[in-house]
Amino acid sequence: MRWPRQLMSLLFVLTLLAGPPIVLLSLIGAPIEGWPTAAQAREWVQNPLTEQTLTAALTIAAWLVWLLLAYTVTIRVLTRLSATVSWLRRMPLPTPLQATAGGIAGVAVFGVSSHAIAAPPSPPTQPVAAGTLDDADNSTPPDGDVLADAGISVAGGWLPRETAEQVSAAAALVWLRRRRSYRPRPPGPPSREDTDLAPLPPTVAAVQAALADPTPPPTERGAASAASSPLDRPTGGGAFPRAGIGLTGLGAKDAARGLLVTNLLAGRHHPAVSVVVTRSVLAGLLGPTAETLGRGLPGLAVIDNLGQAAGFFSGDHPGRGLGGRDPAQRDMQEGAGPPGPTLIVDAASAADNAETLASLAAAAVAVLGRWPAGQTWQVDPSGHSYHQEGRGSAGPRMCVLTQVTATDLLTVIAQPDPAPPKPGTSGPSRNPALAGRSPQWEATAQDHPVRSGNDKRRLHLRVLGEPTLLLDGHPVEIRRTAALQVLVFLAAHPDGADTRQLTDAIWPGLPRRSLTGRLYTTLSDLRATIRSTAGVTLIEHSDDRYRLDPTGVTVDLWHFHHAVRDATTAVATGATTWKAVIDAYPGDLAARRTWPWLDPIREATRRHVIDAHAALASASPDVREALVWLQAGIRIDPYNADLHTRAVTALITLGDHDAAEHLRKDYARRLAAAGILPTNTALTTATLMDHPAIPTR
């Protein structure tokens, strides 16, 4: 115990402080009884080494040593007190809402009877599989909340919540485009290293993980980024002033990047230009990647000088201005459509072209520097802005992004449609993002045997569909969502994962140094739950790697990969083996879960099933039977263009042109609802190319 040692230390320090003065005062007396007289001084000079002078010198030395000790102890005590006061000041206090809720809970506790308190809790009427308890270890990230100030903090910036939601929607759109463009391939190796299965940038994963937190963000004054009128452009944290703004301060460039990303995200679904920027400013904001990104970003117009900007605002530029050529811009002029583009320039260009900027009455101008014609905001690195015209006048909090973070987000916005592999290719293309890594989500039948009829293992982990851990067919309650995520991650990586891989996947974007304790707490709670319920240790830990014990649990994903391996490595692949793949797939991997690390593995798993349906349709001698398999594949992935093309071809072959046209229109509506603009007559063109002899209506 620590308190006896602390008590003895306190007594020792008090003895050192009080003992010497008591001894000196009792034996010698006060250190100074008065100033020496002139006679005493002359006597001391003539005979300095007397018994009296030596005693006085030793007494003074003893008092000086005691004063030094007292000074040291005083300084240490003051330092401790200062640290304690600082900690008390930083200690979070409950909000008024939390205090009210605590008071109500206290009244409820003291108001119930003793019989009600002693009664055990009733079991839940429905089995709970996951996520029933998220304590502070799961819900409150270290080093400040991720969800705060009506926005999201990521490594290298801060985004308003609306902007973060647009980033998440753009990321989802990337995966939908990849699903649409995938062409089923003939049977081949089960491991997938397709180039379009590369994960999205880490910043996007951090934003998606933060949005998965169900805690509603607090509201901050001026933090809403929605435009209130057609003339108000989003600044990434508030309405854009009509006369434009100048950006100064340490966060000026970061705020300009935030303007760039925010406006491009807001205009993703409109054909008009959202941002006009000079080439020199874009290079200063994005660095070496500016030229490449500038060519691929929809809604971005890069100009060499401000003389070229007039066409994007006055209507002289085809399809961009307000002169009636672009319906979206005409709607904006009438007060109904999206706002016009935002112009980002530097202070030197703005000063040299003041007349040109003044003529752009409808333009929203952002100047990197002071802007005499409008407001000038001083922006700090965290995004808080202050009007320079009046001290203490705070503006909205702006979206601020470092160069790396902005590049990550712009890469997602600029994601082109992946080029589908040519029909007839038998092997996957190499994914550079997975170079040097084994396909960890592909389990081998030898390492992970599937459940047989006499399997005695009581635990079964179901991750295809709703993830659930079953004990003798009954769900085991997993209290932490992070613990359930660990189970699914290890099921998808049967070779195991180390601490870094687990923390980066489950808590992306947060400092790794502060996550190790959270991981250990999560794993300890999970192990304790399984040990108390099933009496086994499900997760093995050796050499800093965690893995599921294949002798103690069966996993449906491993069973599925076993079926895929049988279907792709058999000497004679037949309908039976492909049907086994389809039967082993009850649903998407961790269905309805939005964990960012899931997307590449989920899509790779889905593609195996699509391959199986396409293989069965190709091998079927009857067109109607092939159509049944294609329709079943469309239910698995309703966004895949190749399956729809084959189904339209089959319907036309059967003479059902009305059904073929209905399928075309239904598919086009589905793409449009998801935010993917279908190409003109995409299905018809593909059908004619693949089957030129088939008549169209």
Side-chain angles (χ1 to χ4, degrees):
M1 299 177 64
R2 297 178 58 187
W3 68 267
R5 293 197 300 270
Q6 294 175 347
L7 180 60
M8 292 299 296
S9 300
L10 178 61
L11 292 176
F12 179 73
V13 172
L14 292 177
T15 302
L16 285 179
L17 290 177
I22 293 174
V23 172
L24 291 173
L25 290 173
S26 61
L27 296 181
I28 301 175
I32 299 177
E33 297 180 355
W35 293 103
T37 62
Q40 290 175 336
R42 286 195 299 269
E43 183 181 356
W44 177 77
V45 171
Q46 294 174 358
N47 190 11
L49 297 179
T50 63
E51 181 179 356
Q52 184 179 3
T53 56
L54 289 176
T55 302
L58 291 176
T59 301
I60 293 173
W63 279 109
L64 290 176
V65 171
W66 177 83
L67 286 174
L68 179 62
L69 176 63
Y71 172 79
T72 304
V73 172
T74 303
I75 292 299
R76 292 294 300 272
V77 170
L78 291 177
T79 303
R80 289 288 185 90
L81 287 176
S82 176
T84 304
V85 170
S86 300
W87 176 80
L88 290 175
R89 288 177 178 174
R90 294 194 304 267
M91 185 174 64
L93 297 177
T95 63
L97 181 60
Q98 292 171 334
T100 303
I104 295 175
V107 171
V109 169
F110 287 108
V112 297
S113 64
S114 59
H115 297 288
I117 295 176
S122 57
T125 56
Q126 296 292 336
V128 180
T132 58
L133 175 63
D134 276 333
D135 59 9
D137 183 61
N138 271 332
S139 61
T140 304
D143 301 335
D145 294 339
V146 170
L147 286 171
D149 294 337
I152 291 176
S153 297
V154 295
W158 179 88
L159 298 87
R161 186 174 181 86
E162 181 179 350
T163 303
E165 290 172 348
Q166 291 172 341
V167 169
S168 182
L173 203 60
V174 170
W175 285 106
L176 286 182
R177 288 193 180 114
R178 293 177 178 183
R179 290 170 60 178
R180 179 193 63 179
S181 302
Y182 174 69
R183 287 190 178 182
R185 69 188 192 193
S191 60
R192 286 196 176 274
E193 297 174 352
D194 302 353
T195 54
D196 61 343
L197 289 181
L200 299 181
T203 302
V204 180
V207 171
Q208 290 176 306
L211 287 175
D213 190 341
T215 306
T219 301
E220 182 190 2
R221 177 182 58 82
S225 62
S228 58
S229 73
L231 291 177
D232 291 334
R233 282 77 169 179
T235 64
F240 206 109
R242 294 175 182 242
I245 55 173
L247 300 175
T248 61
L250 296 177
K253 279 196 172 183
D254 292 346
R257 297 186 192 97
L259 277 176
L260 180 67
V261 172
T262 300
N263 283 272
L264 288 177
L265 284 169
R268 273 189 315 119
H269 301 297
H270 303 292
V273 170
S274 302
V275 177
V276 180
V277 61
T278 58
R279 197 175 304 277
S280 59
V281 169
L282 187 65
L285 295 179
L286 302 182
T289 61
E291 191 68 26
T292 304
L293 281 175
R295 290 194 299 265
L297 285 170
L300 176 67
V302 183
I303 58 178
D304 294 317
N305 55 72
L306 287 182
Q308 301 173 354
F312 293 95
F313 299 93
S314 63
D316 296 335
H317 195 281
R320 307 299 186 190
L322 305 178
R325 296 178 181 176
D326 187 356
Q329 293 290 351
R330 287 201 307 270
D331 292 341
M332 186 277 292
Q333 187 182 31
E334 297 166 3
T342 296
L343 176 63
I344 305 177
V345 297
D346 56 13
S349 299
D352 295 339
N353 298 271
E355 295 182 0
T356 302
L357 293 179
S359 65
L360 304 179
V365 181
V367 179
L368 285 175
R370 293 189 60 83
W371 177 230
Q375 301 179 19
T376 297
W377 294 356
Q378 184 175 358
V379 187
D380 63 20
S382 63
H384 293 93
S385 63
Y386 305 90
H387 297 172
Q388 287 192 351
E389 287 76 8
R391 287 295 177 184
S393 177
R397 187 174 185 182
M398 300 186 67
C399 176
V400 284
L401 304 170
T402 62
Q403 189 177 106
V404 174
T405 306
T407 302
D408 281 355
L409 300 182
L410 292 175
T411 301
V412 175
I413 302 175
Q415 281 276 349
D417 290 344
K422 295 180 180 180
T425 56
S426 59
S429 56
R430 183 68 179 171
N431 182 353
L434 303 177
R437 292 170 49 193
S438 62
Q440 292 181 328
W441 57 81
E442 302 291 350
T444 62
Q446 292 78 11
D447 294 339
H448 308 286
V450 300
R451 180 187 293 271
S452 60
N454 58 353
D455 199 319
K456 301 301 182 183
R457 286 171 286 185
R458 302 173 60 199
L459 284 174
H460 176 64
L461 179 58
R462 185 172 62 202
V463 297
L464 295 175
E466 177 64 24
T468 312
L469 180 63
L470 301 172
L471 175 63
D472 296 331
H474 301 286
V476 177
E477 180 181 344
I478 306 298
R479 301 189 303 161
R480 297 170 180 260
T481 53
L484 182 71
Q485 197 171 168
V486 167
L487 284 178
V488 179
F489 189 88
L490 294 180
H493 298 77
D495 291 338
D498 57 25
T499 301
R500 179 188 60 81
Q501 291 170 322
L502 285 171
T503 54
D504 287 352
I506 299 175
W507 298 288
L510 297 180
R512 190 180 301 153
R513 65 181 181 276
S514 58
L515 295 176
T516 304
R518 294 177 75 181
L519 178 63
Y520 290 159
T521 302
T522 300
L523 289 171
S524 297
D525 182 81
L526 177 61
R527 284 172 163 175
T529 299
I530 297 174
R531 191 181 301 112
S532 62
T533 305
V536 298
T537 301
L538 178 60
I539 300 178
E540 298 177 341
H541 183 210
S542 61
D543 298 330
D544 194 35
R545 293 191 68 83
Y546 299 90
R547 63 190 294 266
L548 296 179
D549 181 9
T551 64
V553 65
T554 57
V555 182
D556 59 350
L557 183 61
W558 299 351
H559 180 90
F560 172 80
H561 283 144
H562 181 91
V564 171
R565 186 171 297 278
D566 285 348
T568 56
T569 59
V571 177
T573 302
T576 303
T577 56
W578 284 116
K579 289 179 181 178
V581 173
I582 296 174
D583 293 340
Y585 186 82
D588 290 341
L589 178 64
R592 296 190 300 276
R593 304 289 171 165
T594 57
W595 305 324
W597 61 268
L598 267 176
D599 289 321
I601 309 175
R602 177 186 284 160
E603 179 60 19
T605 307
R606 184 189 291 115
R607 289 182 179 184
H608 286 310
V609 188
I610 294 176
D611 290 346
H613 284 89
L616 288 170
S618 300
S620 177
D622 181 54
V623 179
R624 295 187 181 275
E625 182 182 354
L627 180 61
V628 171
W629 287 117
L630 291 172
Q631 290 172 335
I634 290 175
R635 286 192 291 271
I636 296 294
D637 191 352
Y639 295 96
N640 186 267
D642 189 83
L643 291 178
H644 282 83
T645 298
R646 298 189 189 197
V648 168
T649 302
L651 288 171
I652 294 176
T653 303
L654 293 173
D656 196 344
H657 298 279
D658 291 336
E661 186 65 20
H662 177 75
L663 181 59
R664 283 197 193 98
K665 292 181 178 179
D666 184 67
Y667 180 59
R669 283 193 296 267
R670 184 178 298 112
L671 292 181
I676 305 176
L677 298 178
T679 56
N680 294 331
T681 63
L683 289 177
T684 303
T685 303
T687 301
L688 291 175
M689 291 176 60
D690 293 341
H691 304 278
I694 297 176
T696 60
R697 189 178 179 183

